[in-house]
Amino acid sequence: MTVSAQEGRQPTTWTHIAQSADLDVPRPVVPITAMGQALVLFRDEQGELGLIGRHCPHRGADLCYGRHEDNGLRCPFHGWHFDRTGQCTEQPAEPADSTMYQTIKLPSYPVREEGGAVFAWFGDGTPPALTAATATA
């Protein structure tokens, strides 16, 4: 799904980015283009949604093709693992005592489900409650 912003303006509403049914598949990972960004929407093993940057910061591999595991996505190239907040949680090729992974984070956005639709918040600050008045199709 592709969602565009008005020229140079941050949205002030929750933005519809997908249908819940899009994630009702064995591998719930969906490519999303929103606000000029390539993102990936996924549901983790706990049923929580994540909306994070689509490309691994290491070599740019597309996380839509990564392994869906451990409540996140694992890069198909070198195996870096990202959770639903975009935080890198593991770098398999680094020494066991390395903490570099803690400094690596992809862009991420709050997401909510309501009435069979998935909405994302791209605005600044804490998002308001998701209501019909604060959501756009």
Side-chain angles (χ1 to χ4, degrees):
M1 178 172 212
T2 301
V3 178
S4 301
Q6 292 180 351
E7 192 70 31
R9 295 182 59 194
Q10 284 285 76
T12 57
T13 60
W14 285 91
T15 303
H16 177 246
I17 59 167
Q19 293 300 115
S20 297
D22 296 339
L23 296 162
D24 292 340
V25 294
R27 188 175 179 279
V29 179
V30 178
I32 301 287
T33 301
M35 306 304 149
Q37 299 177 72
L39 304 168
V40 60
L41 173 68
F42 65 98
R43 187 182 306 280
D44 68 16
E45 288 90 346
Q46 295 177 339
E48 298 293 326
L49 294 174
L51 180 64
I52 64 175
R54 185 169 168 177
H55 299 285
C56 181
H58 180 226
R59 296 283 185 180
D62 190 338
L63 293 174
C64 284
Y65 298 107
R67 288 193 310 265
H68 180 253
E69 62 181 42
D70 299 329
N71 285 324
L73 298 174
R74 188 171 298 280
C75 176
F77 196 41
H78 285 116
W80 290 15
H81 184 268
F82 297 91
D83 68 13
R84 67 180 169 257
T85 70
Q87 180 63 53
C88 183
T89 61
E90 183 183 2
Q91 289 177 292
E94 288 295 308
D97 62 345
S98 174
T99 59
M100 185 172 84
Y101 70 93
Q102 296 172 352
T103 66
I104 300 165
K105 189 164 196 256
L106 292 168
S108 67
Y109 299 93
V111 285
R112 305 281 188 272
E113 279 184 282
E114 186 68 41
V118 179
F119 295 88
W121 174 256
F122 295 101
D124 292 328
T126 303
L130 177 58
T131 64
T134 61
T136 58

